[in-house]
Amino acid sequence: MTSSSSPSQDTQRLAHAYPEGLRADALMEEDVAWSHEIDGERDGDQFDRSERAALRRVVGLSTELEDVTEVEYRQLRLERVVLVGVWTTGTAQDADNSLAELAALAETAGALVLDGVIQRRDKPDAATYIGSGKAAELRDVVIETGADTVICDGELSPGQLIQLEDVVKVKVIDRTALILDIFAQHAKSREGKAQVALAQMQYMLPRLRGWGQSLSRQMGGGRGGLATRGPGETKIETDRRRIREKMAKMRREIADMKTGREIKRQERRRNKVPSVAIAGYTNAGKSSLLNRLTGAGVLVENALFATLDPTVRRAETPSGRLHTLVDTVGFVRHLPHHLVEAFRSTMEEVGDSDLILHVVDGSHPVPEEQLAAVREVIRDVGATDVPEIVVINKADAADPLVLQRLLRVEKRSIAVSARTGQGIEELLALIDDELPRPSVEVDALVPYTHGKLVARAHTEGEVISEEHTAEGTLLKVRVHDELAADLAPYAPVSAA
């Protein structure tokens, strides 16, 4: 038997849990505003931020005959949404946190959250997600708040979407559609846009609907005959066929783009450059950490999925070893499988890396859930064998007891703050220790006429000692097999 709570009771409980004026992003992120004085040095030049916030006027587009002397400014009307969640497992606090994350996603997509209700059930209703009685009560909440959209905290089947819309009489979307919308807004590169478009088509294909003419039959498929014979496919079937053709074309384009990235990856492998991948929950501070470590200047914003395209930057350990840092797309609980499949080629950067920096938001109410969600996606892309360092970010805003708990549970972990620089030096030293080291130790006396070998020893290996003598440069290095073979002819006589 299922138990339920009324929308008014759920509203009172959510209002009690989250005081008035507290935005959803404050629940997911430290309550600190970005400022040029504090964060400018860390994050570098961020042209994307100004482009997203600015309204640039283009001269010469007006078709009016007279000059415009007065302009009426209108504020863009945001979609007004009501959130709906089904609490099936876990505690009431877990359900509240899930709905708070949905509110943060909705605000990132540009919606105005008016209310949120939770229905306690053993499992979602097969027809209307929350049951017919609660759907009628939800309709009253929609009328009372004046909302024009309902967002469900889960992936709804096509039948659930249709039947719930029939009851509430406003647009209904689910968590998957919301995340896809955010990705569509933030994708900037050609590959990112193609991956998002493929995921959207995969999601929409089983959810196409037909009205009126869309359900009528076209004329048949006979060879001749004035009116042809027999009914042909419906308009909606034609749409589905065209979407499948576009999806096949999009997959081919993404495969071609993957080739270019694979060539760059092979070049790094050929030069024996270790790779470090930064993975983690969305809004955990991955881009801020990349900026702090390399000065990359990647966009940093208090929003979910602010950056989607992977960024590769060159970095150097305190001992002088070169490596690359890759900032990957952020993850989230119940990440739609459409996105996992579409972004698989991008997420392969994690599987091909030598070390994973798993960034978690230390100021989040339940950081353990973030760790579990990210590790689930890492398993999906086959990167479970890659060594992992858990980087607990936002240590300056985190609860000390939470930090102590995470550091105790996660054996290979470190607490840092990309905002203040706390723990960054210790993290660099830890990366230096964890990166794979060359396997062969070589002593060589390299003539000055072969300085290129000395340069390769510095870039591709680990120099233990270096001394300049009359005969040449005396090196003691750890290198890979190929470079060891090139240095073998120059082994000093004493060592032989």
Side-chain angles (χ1 to χ4, degrees):
M1 180 175 178
T2 60
S3 60
S4 63
S5 57
S6 66
S8 60
Q9 292 173 340
D10 292 323
T11 304
Q12 293 174 0
R13 177 161 55 79
L14 288 176
H16 178 71
Y18 309 115
E20 184 178 357
L22 183 63
R23 292 174 61 84
D25 55 357
L27 296 173
M28 311 305 298
E29 172 64 73
E30 58 184 341
D31 191 14
V32 179
W34 190 94
S35 67
H36 180 74
E37 293 78 7
I38 297 176
D39 299 320
E41 180 181 354
R42 168 184 61 127
D43 295 328
D45 295 329
Q46 298 184 48
F47 301 108
D48 286 348
R49 179 184 297 278
S50 58
E51 288 178 1
R52 291 188 186 183
L55 182 66
R56 183 170 61 89
R57 174 169 293 172
V58 180
V59 180
L61 295 183
S62 175
T63 58
E64 292 185 302
L65 298 179
E66 298 179 357
D67 293 337
V68 178
T69 56
E70 294 183 0
V71 179
E72 178 184 0
Y73 292 95
R74 296 184 177 90
Q75 183 179 4
L76 177 65
R77 182 181 180 276
L78 301 178
E79 284 196 66
R80 300 161 62 85
V81 302
V82 171
L83 310 179
V84 181
V86 172
W87 170 22
T88 57
T89 58
T91 65
Q93 186 61 44
D94 294 336
D96 291 348
N97 290 337
S98 181
L99 209 65
E101 183 177 270
L102 186 68
L105 287 168
E107 290 188 359
T108 301
L112 178 63
V113 178
L114 301 177
D115 206 348
V117 294
I118 296 175
Q119 163 73 359
R120 184 71 167 99
R121 296 180 65 93
D122 292 336
K123 60 180 181 180
D125 182 68
T128 59
Y129 185 64
I130 55 175
S132 57
K134 293 302 177 185
E137 293 182 21
L138 177 62
R139 170 61 179 165
D140 296 335
V141 175
V142 169
I143 295 175
E144 179 185 350
T145 57
D148 49 31
T149 304
V150 170
I151 304 179
C152 298
D153 190 17
E155 185 168 345
L156 273 60
S157 68
Q160 288 173 323
L161 280 172
I162 294 173
Q163 295 192 52
L164 190 56
E165 278 190 354
D166 289 341
V167 176
V168 299
K169 306 301 182 185
V170 295
K171 180 173 70 175
V172 176
I173 64 173
D174 58 13
R175 182 188 181 92
T176 301
L178 180 61
I179 294 176
L180 287 171
D181 183 77
I182 297 173
F183 271 58
Q185 291 182 41
H186 292 175
K188 298 184 71 69
S189 69
R190 178 168 169 257
E191 183 174 12
K193 292 178 180 178
Q195 289 169 328
V196 173
L198 176 60
Q200 286 178 319
M201 286 187 287
Q202 285 177 316
Y203 174 79
M204 287 302 300
L205 183 60
R207 292 170 173 81
L208 287 179
R209 307 186 203 174
W211 292 276
Q213 292 293 328
S214 296
L215 295 177
S216 62
R217 293 284 178 181
Q218 298 177 359
M219 297 305 289
R223 282 198 170 183
L226 298 170
T228 72
R229 296 162 185 81
E233 62 184 354
T234 61
K235 179 64 167 61
I236 194 171
E237 289 170 344
T238 305
D239 293 341
R240 285 173 180 157
R241 176 168 50 81
R242 288 175 176 170
I243 287 179
R244 291 191 189 97
E245 292 172 353
K246 288 183 180 179
M247 288 171 59
K249 180 182 177 182
M250 200 71 68
R251 288 192 181 98
R252 290 194 296 268
E253 292 180 358
I254 292 175
D256 293 339
M257 298 179 213
K258 177 184 175 182
T259 303
R261 191 171 54 253
E262 181 63 28
I263 292 174
K264 297 177 182 177
R265 197 180 299 145
Q266 290 176 355
E267 183 69 15
R268 293 197 295 267
R269 288 199 202 104
R270 188 179 67 82
N271 293 326
K272 308 298 181 183
V273 179
S275 174
V276 179
I278 302 177
Y281 213 77
T282 180
N283 213 24
K286 298 183 301 300
S287 298
S288 295
L289 184 63
L290 179 69
N291 290 340
R292 173 64 74 174
L293 293 175
T294 66
V298 177
L299 173 71
V300 172
E301 191 171 2
N302 183 15
L304 307 184
F305 301 112
T307 52
L308 295 181
D309 303 315
T311 303
V312 182
R313 290 292 183 270
R314 174 178 170 175
E316 189 173 329
T317 65
S319 63
R321 301 171 62 197
L322 294 178
H323 64 279
T324 59
L325 275 172
V326 185
D327 180 20
T328 60
V329 63
F331 305 141
V332 73
R333 277 182 298 183
H334 312 302
L335 188 67
H337 66 275
H338 312 289
L339 284 174
V340 175
E341 289 300 321
F343 279 79
R344 182 171 293 276
S345 58
T346 302
M347 295 175 181
E348 285 175 357
E349 295 286 353
V350 177
D352 290 337
S353 63
D354 297 294
L355 180 66
I356 297 176
L357 297 184
H358 185 165
V359 183
V360 61
D361 183 358
S363 64
H364 189 270
V366 192
E368 290 85 357
E369 291 185 1
Q370 292 191 353
L371 288 168
V374 174
R375 282 170 176 159
E376 181 180 351
V377 180
I378 289 177
R379 282 194 301 270
D380 291 341
V381 298
T384 53
D385 297 332
V386 183
E388 175 191 68
I389 296 176
V390 176
V391 182
I392 308 168
N393 194 21
K394 306 178 187 176
D396 55 323
D399 185 345
L401 295 178
V402 175
L403 285 181
Q404 292 176 11
R405 185 178 73 240
L406 287 174
L407 291 171
R408 183 176 65 255
V409 173
E410 301 293 337
K411 301 304 179 184
R412 301 174 65 186
S413 60
I414 183 172
V416 304
S417 172
R419 179 174 176 270
T420 64
Q422 172 189 342
I424 296 298
E425 295 298 327
E426 293 81 356
L427 176 59
L428 288 171
L430 189 57
I431 293 173
D432 199 355
D433 293 338
E434 294 291 335
L435 279 178
R437 296 181 178 275
S439 56
V440 184
E441 187 171 314
V442 176
D443 292 324
L445 181 60
V446 183
Y448 291 119
T449 55
H450 293 72
K452 186 179 292 186
L453 282 175
V454 178
R456 286 182 60 193
H458 279 276
T459 56
E460 301 177 20
E462 182 180 354
V463 178
I464 301 173
S465 64
E466 182 178 11
E467 181 182 352
H468 298 287
T469 65
E471 294 80 12
T473 304
L474 183 60
L475 290 175
K476 185 174 184 178
V477 293
R478 286 195 188 94
V479 292
H480 52 82
D481 296 339
E482 182 181 345
L483 184 53
D486 294 339
L487 290 172
Y490 306 103
V493 177
S494 59

